[in-house]
Amino acid sequence: MARFRADFSDSSDSSSEPEVQQELEPSEDERESEEESLRSSSPSSEMHEDELLTSRARRRKHSSRNALIEDEDGEIWYAHEVDSDRRAPNPRVSEPSSSSSPPPRGDPTLTSWAQHIGVDAQKMHVMQTSLFRVPEEAAALKALNQLPPSHLSLRVPLQPLNRKHSRDSDGDGIRPDFRERPSFAYDIEPPIHRPSRKYARVESSESAVQGSEGAFLDAGLAFGRSFRVGWGPDGTLVHLGALCKPSSTQKTSANSSVITRTVFPLYADAAAGATLCGKLLQHHLTHSPIIPDDDDVPFADPDPEFLNFSSFVALFPAADRSYEASLFRLGQALFDDIDFRLGASVTIDIRSRISAVRRKAALSAWLEGAVSPTVEAELRANASADTPTNVFTLLTGHQIEKAVNAAIDGEFWRLATLISQAGGDLEFQQDLKHQIEIWHGERIDVHIDENVRRVYALLAGWVNKVVVGSRGGGLEKCSDVDVLKGLDWKRAFGLHLWYSEPVNASIAQVYQTFNQLVTENQIPRPPPFYSEMKTPLTTSLWNLSSIPPTTDGLFSLIRLHAEPACSLSQILTPLSFGTSPVDYSISWHLYIILSRCMRVRDFADRGDPVGRTRRMDDEISNSDDDDGIKQEGHSPSADLLTSSYASQLENQGLIQEALFVLLHIEGSIGRKKAIKDLLARSAGRLDEWMSRGIEGSLKIPRTWITEAKANYALDNGDIFDAYELFLQAELYDTAHDLAIVELAPDAILRQDFELLKNLFTIFVNHPVIGWHVRGKIFLDYVKIMTYLPRPAVEGDAVADLVQNSRFEDLIKNVPRLIELVPDLFREGSDPRHGVALTEMVAGIMRQVKKYAPSVLAQVNSTFMDESTRLERIQSIGYTRFLSQIN
C-alpha cells in the first residue's frame, strides 16, 4: 500500500514525478476491499465513524492538492498548482499511458456512499460546494499572495469611525475588519486597543476641578480651566513665548516663566466704531419695547412701524458720504414701503408695475449719488483731458445734462445731440450700432477718436461686449474699445442700469445680466469698499489670505432684492461691511431690520414655527387669536450673530449696549443665561448709576444685578457683603450656605451670639434646603447658650409654666443637637471648622452640666475634649447611682 508523502520536493528532477503520480493512485487490493465493504454493509440508518471518511486515495489526493507550499521566490502556492506547473513540461507525465491513467474527476466514493444512505448525489454535491468553497478560497488566497512583501502583514486594519466621538456601547466604536489567513500555522495579531473617548462640556459646578483649586500637586487639575485659550477684553491675549505660525522658527522658548500680555487691535478705528454703535443702538432702543415673555424673562421686541431704513437714514446728515450712510440709503431705496397714492380701484398688476418703476427710479437716484464723488474726483485728476474723455466720465455717473454741456463746449454738436437721447428706445440704439458697424466695415474707425467711439458704444448699449476695431495693417489698424475698462463695480452696474438694459427692465433683470458677467469672469467680483482705498487697512491688522474673497455689502443688498432665494446667511458677512472679520455691528442691524421688522428675508436655518406665527407679509396667520403674541421657529445663526455683537460691545466697554443686544436672543433660557453671565463678568463696573440704568431702561430684574455684585464681592473676599447681597438677590440657599461655611465659625469663636442669631433668623420665614439639620442648629445653639439659666417670672404662674416647657424642650433636644453638629462643617480644608465644632460641643456640654447634668449620659460625640469626656463619664455614673437608689 502506498503511503502519502508530505515532503514535496522542489527539485526539477522528472524522475520523482512518476513516483508522486503512482502514490496518488489506489492499488487494486484497496479498491476491491472498499467495494466489498460497501456491498456487505447493512442498510440501517446507523453510521460508524469510519463511514464518514472517504477513501485513502481520495484523502491523499486532496491533502496533496490543497497543501500550501512556499516556492523559491517566497510565494505561497497550492500543491496542485505547483504540481501542474511541474508536470506540464514533461511529455511522459502530460501523456500518461492507459494503465497508469489518473482517476476521473468525479467522486465515485462519495456518490456511492450517498446512494447507499439514500441521499441524492446531486444534492450532496451542491451541499458540499456551498459549505466548502475550495476554488473561490484558492483564488482569493492567490490574489492575496501576489501582493508585494510589504503588503503581506497580517495586522488587522481598523475601520474608520462612523462619527467624530463614537462609543463602543453605541455600536459606532472601533470594529476590526475580519480577514482570512493562509493556514492555521499563521496567527492573526489582535487589533490595537484604542479606547474611545466622548468629549462633552462640563459645567463648573459639576467639574472635577470644583473644590480642588488648591491641589497644586496636580497643576493640570488645579489650573485646567484657567489656562484655556481665549481672548480677553479689547483683544487682550496672555501667552507664553512668542505668537507665531506652526511653521515659523522662534528664538524664544515657551518653557519659561515670562508671561506676555499682547493687545491686538480688533478694529481699525475703535473709537469711531463705538460712537457709531452707540448712535445706532440708541435709536434702536427708542423704538424697541422691552416686555417679559412667557417665562418672565425680559425680551426686546423691535417695532416694525418705526424701525426701518428710513429711520436710520435720518441719523446721518444729508451731506454724509460715509459707507454706513450709503448702505442705509440703499436699503431705503430697495426695501422701504412706498406710498403710491393710488385708489382702491387700481388693480394689482398696475400696482406691481408702478412699484417696479418706482424701485428702479429710487435705485438709479441712489446710484447717481453713490458714484458722484468718484466721477468728480476723476474729472479733477484729468483736468487736461479732451472733451470726449470728460463726456464719457460724466456719462458713467449718469450726469446727462453736464455731458451735453461739455460736448457743446467742445464743439461736438452731433455728439451732444446723441447724448441728449441717452437711454432712449431700441430704435435709437440700433441706429448707433449700425453706424459703428459701418465704421468697422469701411475701416473708418481708425480715423475716429477712441473716446468718441467709446461714447457711441455706450449710447448704443454695447456695455457687456468689446467693440472690435478694424484689422487693417499699419496705419489702418484700429484698437478695440472696452466700455467697462477702468470702471469700479458701481459705475459698471450703473451702465447696465442706465444704457444697456431696456427702460422697462426690472432691477432683477439688470442684476442677472451684470452677475452673469461676474460669473463668467469678464469683470471682477465687486470687492468690499475698503479694498478701493489707498491705505490697505486690513493688511496691517488681519491676515486674510486664507479667507475667501468677499463681496461688497452694497452689492449684497442688491442681490438680496433681486434673488428671492437669497437668504441672510449668504450676505451678512462682517468683511462685506467693514475691515474687521469680528465686527458684527452692521450685520446685526441689517438682520433686525430685514428679518425682525420688515420680514423681507431670514436666515436659512430658521426652524418651523410653533403655534401662532407671523408671516413675511406681516399678517397674523391665526386670525382667531388677537393677543398679539408672535411665535416663530428658532434660528441658531440669529442667536450666534446676536451673541457675537454683544461680545464685541463688551470688549469696547459698552456694557449697557451689550445687555440690550442680548435681549434679542430668541430662547428664554439662553437669553437669561447670557445676560447673567455678562453681568457677572462686568460686576466690577456696575456702579449705582449704571445699575439704575440697566434696571430702568432695559427692564432687567434687580435681583440679577445684585447676584452679579454678590459673586464679585465673594471673589474679592468680602464675605459679609456677599452674604447681604445674596439676601437682596433672594438667593436664600446660597446665602444660607455662605453663612454656615464662612460667617458662623468666626461668630462662634468670638462668642458673638447676637451676630450668630441675626445671621440665621432671616431664614425662618424663607425656607431653605436643609434648614432643620443645618441653620436651625445654630439658633438652637444660641438659645442654649443664652437661655440657660432660665429667668424666673415672679407672680406669673402661666409664664413660668411656659418657660419651664421651653426649658424642657431645649434639654430634650441636646443629644440630637450634638449628633447633628458634626454635619454642619464638612469642609476639611478650613481649620476654623474643626475649632468651631469643638467649641460648640464644649459650650453645650458646659451649659447642660450646670443645669441638667443627667442629660450628659445620653450624649456621645467624638468631638469632646478630655475634660468633657471625663465629665460625661461622671454624669453616667451619677445617673446610674440615682437610678439604682430609685
Side-chain angles (χ1 to χ4, degrees):
M1 179 177 178
R3 176 175 296 177
F4 172 71
R5 194 173 68 179
D7 52 341
F8 191 89
S9 176
D10 291 338
S11 175
S12 61
D13 188 7
S14 61
S15 60
S16 61
E17 297 172 1
E19 182 179 358
V20 175
Q21 187 69 20
Q22 183 179 1
E23 290 176 333
L24 296 177
E25 299 177 1
S27 62
E28 294 293 336
D29 297 338
E30 291 176 348
R31 292 178 182 177
E32 293 177 357
S33 60
E34 290 175 357
E35 293 176 358
E36 182 179 358
S37 62
L38 290 174
R39 290 193 299 268
S40 61
S41 61
S42 60
S44 63
S45 61
E46 297 179 358
M47 288 192 302
H48 299 284
E49 184 179 358
D50 298 337
E51 296 179 8
L52 299 176
L53 301 176
T54 61
S55 64
R56 191 168 301 173
R58 181 73 177 175
R59 293 197 305 271
R60 286 198 300 271
K61 180 178 179 181
H62 281 281
S63 301
S64 62
R65 292 177 62 85
N66 294 336
L68 295 175
I69 299 175
E70 184 177 2
D71 61 359
E72 297 176 356
D73 298 332
E75 297 184 356
I76 300 173
W77 302 86
Y78 278 100
H80 71 277
E81 296 175 348
V82 179
D83 186 19
S84 62
D85 294 340
R86 293 183 178 182
R87 284 189 285 108
N90 196 335
R92 293 179 299 174
V93 180
S94 61
E95 298 178 359
S97 60
S98 61
S99 61
S100 61
S101 61
R105 290 178 178 243
D107 196 349
T109 305
L110 178 61
T111 304
S112 302
W113 177 74
Q115 294 176 353
H116 175 69
I117 63 176
V119 180
D120 186 15
Q122 183 66 23
K123 182 178 180 181
M124 180 64 72
H125 180 71
V126 172
M127 295 172 61
Q128 180 190 21
T129 305
S130 302
L131 296 175
F132 309 100
R133 304 180 63 86
V134 177
E136 288 81 359
E137 294 177 357
L141 289 175
K142 182 178 179 180
L144 180 64
N145 293 329
Q146 288 178 354
L147 295 175
S150 60
H151 296 279
L152 293 178
S153 175
L154 297 179
R155 183 179 296 275
V156 178
L158 299 178
Q159 294 181 350
L161 299 180
N162 296 332
R163 62 188 186 197
K164 185 177 180 181
H165 304 301
S166 59
R167 293 177 291 182
D168 291 337
S169 61
D170 294 338
D172 294 330
I174 301 175
R175 295 289 182 266
D177 184 16
F178 296 101
R179 292 179 53 187
E180 297 179 354
R181 51 186 177 182
S183 68
F184 289 99
Y186 297 91
D187 293 332
I188 298 178
E189 298 181 5
I192 301 175
H193 177 66
R194 296 180 179 179
S196 59
R197 296 182 177 180
K198 184 68 177 180
Y199 296 97
R201 181 176 178 84
V202 180
E203 296 294 337
S204 301
S205 59
E206 300 177 359
S207 174
V209 185
Q210 185 72 15
S212 303
E213 290 81 4
F216 296 105
L217 295 178
D218 190 350
L221 178 64
F223 304 106
R225 299 181 70 91
S226 301
F227 284 84
R228 292 177 297 177
V229 178
W231 292 95
D234 300 328
T236 304
L237 187 65
V238 179
H239 57 91
L240 296 173
L243 297 176
C244 61
K245 297 185 296 185
S247 59
S248 303
T249 303
Q250 296 292 331
K251 299 180 180 180
T252 60
S253 174
N255 299 324
S256 63
S257 59
V258 179
I259 299 178
T260 306
R261 179 179 177 269
T262 306
V263 179
F264 294 89
L266 298 180
Y267 317 103
D269 191 350
T275 303
L276 176 63
C277 292
K279 179 171 61 175
L280 298 178
L281 288 172
Q282 181 61 40
H283 174 69
H284 193 162
L285 175 61
T286 305
H287 303 288
S288 296
I290 300 175
I291 56 177
D293 60 4
D294 294 339
D295 298 326
D296 203 22
V297 178
F299 173 71
D301 188 16
D303 192 348
E305 184 178 355
F306 298 99
L307 280 182
N308 48 28
F309 285 101
S310 300
S311 64
F312 282 91
V313 168
L315 302 177
F316 300 92
D320 192 349
R321 299 292 181 88
S322 63
Y323 178 78
E324 292 79 12
S326 180
L327 184 68
F328 286 109
R329 292 183 182 124
L330 176 60
Q332 178 186 11
L334 294 177
F335 301 105
D336 275 3
D337 295 334
I338 300 176
D339 186 11
F340 301 117
R341 298 180 181 179
L342 299 176
S345 60
V346 180
T347 62
I348 187 65
D349 297 337
I350 298 178
R351 288 179 180 271
S352 300
R353 178 58 187 158
I354 294 176
S355 175
V357 173
R358 293 284 297 274
R359 291 289 182 197
K360 188 175 181 181
L363 176 61
S364 176
W366 170 84
L367 197 56
E368 291 177 8
V371 301
S372 176
T374 306
V375 172
E376 294 174 0
E378 187 171 337
L379 290 175
R380 289 194 299 268
N382 300 324
S384 60
D386 55 0
T387 299
T389 302
N390 294 332
V391 167
F392 179 81
T393 302
L394 291 171
L395 289 177
T396 58
H398 202 232
Q399 300 180 15
I400 305 297
E401 184 177 355
K402 292 183 179 180
V404 171
N405 294 331
I408 294 175
D409 294 340
E411 298 182 354
F412 286 83
W413 317 108
R414 295 183 179 86
L415 185 61
T417 305
L418 296 176
I419 294 173
S420 63
Q421 304 177 57
D425 52 8
L426 294 178
E427 184 178 357
F428 170 74
Q429 294 183 350
Q430 290 295 334
D431 293 340
L432 292 178
K433 291 178 183 178
H434 184 61
Q435 180 64 58
I436 296 175
E437 291 174 354
I438 293 176
W439 290 346
H440 176 75
E442 298 181 0
R443 297 184 180 181
I444 304 176
D445 51 359
V446 68
H447 303 289
I448 300 175
D449 187 88
E450 180 179 352
N451 290 314
V452 173
R453 294 166 52 215
R454 197 176 187 186
V455 172
Y456 268 79
L458 176 61
L459 297 178
W462 275 352
V463 175
N464 53 358
K465 62 179 295 186
V466 177
V467 180
V468 180
S470 58
R471 293 292 182 262
L475 296 177
E476 294 184 356
K477 185 178 181 180
C478 182
S479 60
D480 300 337
V481 173
D482 186 3
V483 178
L484 299 179
K485 182 179 180 181
L487 299 180
D488 58 280
W489 78 265
K490 287 190 287 293
R491 288 196 289 173
F493 184 83
L495 295 187
H496 284 81
L497 179 67
W498 297 318
Y499 308 107
S500 177
E501 297 299 320
V503 179
N504 57 353
S506 63
I507 298 177
Q509 294 175 350
V510 177
Y511 166 79
Q512 291 172 2
T513 304
F514 181 81
N515 191 52
Q516 184 177 0
L517 297 179
V518 176
T519 306
E520 296 174 354
N521 295 326
Q522 297 185 22
I523 58 176
R525 181 178 298 275
F529 71 97
Y530 49 84
S531 62
E532 302 174 357
M533 298 180 180
K534 301 299 182 181
T535 304
L537 299 177
T538 57
T539 304
S540 59
L541 300 179
W542 301 92
N543 183 12
L544 304 177
S545 58
S546 60
I547 299 179
T550 56
T551 307
D552 193 346
L554 299 173
F555 184 74
S556 298
L557 279 185
I558 299 176
R559 176 191 176 188
L560 188 70
H561 175 80
E563 293 185 1
C566 181
S567 66
L568 296 182
S569 305
Q570 299 173 284
I571 68 168
L572 295 186
T573 305
L575 285 176
S576 296
F577 307 99
T579 59
S580 174
V582 293
D583 187 358
Y584 299 92
S585 56
I586 301 298
S587 300
W588 186 80
H589 286 286
L590 290 179
Y591 152 69
I592 293 297
I593 298 173
L594 293 171
S595 175
R596 300 295 86 197
C597 295
M598 306 185 67
R599 309 285 170 168
V600 174
R601 216 62 58 84
D602 210 331
F603 285 104
D605 59 354
R606 175 73 64 183
D608 296 332
V610 179
R612 189 164 179 264
T613 62
R614 187 173 185 175
R615 300 194 303 265
M616 285 301 178
D617 56 0
D618 222 21
E619 295 178 357
I620 302 301
S621 61
N622 187 359
S623 58
D624 296 336
D625 297 335
D626 53 354
D627 51 3
I629 300 176
K630 302 179 293 292
Q631 295 181 2
E632 296 179 342
H634 178 255
S635 174
S637 298
D639 285 351
L640 180 61
L641 177 61
T642 302
S643 301
S644 300
Y645 186 33
S647 178
Q648 171 187 342
L649 295 172
E650 180 186 359
N651 290 332
Q652 294 177 344
L654 304 176
I655 305 302
Q656 297 186 60
E657 289 79 358
L659 288 171
F660 171 68
V661 171
L662 290 178
L663 289 174
H664 293 78
I665 293 180
E666 298 174 0
S668 299
I669 299 177
R671 189 186 325 122
K672 180 179 180 180
K673 185 179 185 304
I675 293 175
K676 283 191 172 184
D677 290 345
L678 177 56
L679 289 174
R681 293 191 299 267
S682 309
R685 308 178 187 178
L686 300 179
D687 52 11
E688 187 63 25
W689 179 84
M690 184 178 294
S691 299
R692 291 181 179 179
I694 294 174
E695 182 182 2
S697 301
L698 304 181
K699 302 297 188 295
I700 293 179
R702 188 170 186 82
T703 54
W704 296 6
I705 305 173
T706 309
E707 179 184 359
K709 293 181 178 181
N711 288 319
Y712 180 75
L714 183 62
D715 293 338
N716 291 335
D718 300 331
I719 308 299
F720 190 78
D721 293 341
Y723 164 79
E724 292 183 333
L725 290 172
F726 278 127
L727 290 178
Q728 296 177 16
E730 299 179 0
L731 298 175
Y732 297 105
D733 288 311
T734 307
H736 179 248
D737 296 339
L738 186 63
I740 293 175
V741 176
E742 298 292 343
L743 300 178
D746 292 337
I748 293 172
L749 295 179
R750 294 200 305 265
Q751 297 293 315
D752 193 346
F753 300 116
E754 187 66 23
L755 173 62
L756 193 61
K757 178 181 178 181
N758 294 333
L759 288 176
F760 294 95
T761 303
I762 192 173
F763 301 109
V764 175
N765 298 325
H766 299 89
V768 293
I769 299 176
W771 163 250
H772 293 282
V773 294
R774 301 185 67 194
K776 190 174 182 298
I777 302 300
F778 291 100
L779 293 182
D780 294 341
Y781 169 72
V782 171
K783 291 179 181 179
I784 291 176
M785 300 301 295
T786 59
Y787 186 76
L788 299 179
R790 64 185 186 279
V793 181
E794 299 180 357
D796 194 347
V798 176
D800 190 49
L801 291 175
V802 173
Q803 299 236 358
N804 289 334
S805 176
R806 293 179 179 175
F807 175 78
E808 295 296 335
D809 292 340
L810 287 176
I811 294 301
K812 290 179 181 179
N813 290 332
V814 167
R816 176 179 173 273
L817 184 64
I818 294 181
E819 290 179 0
L820 295 176
V821 165
D823 295 334
L824 295 175
F825 306 106
R826 299 177 183 176
E827 298 290 337
S829 59
D830 194 341
R832 299 177 302 164
H833 292 174
V835 179
L837 179 60
T838 304
E839 180 64 25
M840 287 183 66
V841 174
I844 294 174
M845 296 294 287
R846 287 195 300 268
Q847 293 294 98
V848 173
K849 179 184 176 182
K850 292 181 181 179
Y851 304 104
S854 60
V855 181
L856 291 177
Q858 305 175 15
V859 177
N860 185 13
S861 177
T862 58
F863 294 93
M864 300 180 183
D865 52 11
E866 294 297 331
S867 60
T868 306
R869 288 196 182 96
L870 181 59
E871 293 175 355
R872 177 177 175 274
I873 294 174
Q874 293 176 356
S875 176
I876 293 174
Y878 179 71
T879 303
R880 290 180 180 177
F881 173 73
L882 293 179
S883 61
Q884 291 178 359
I885 293 177
N886 296 332

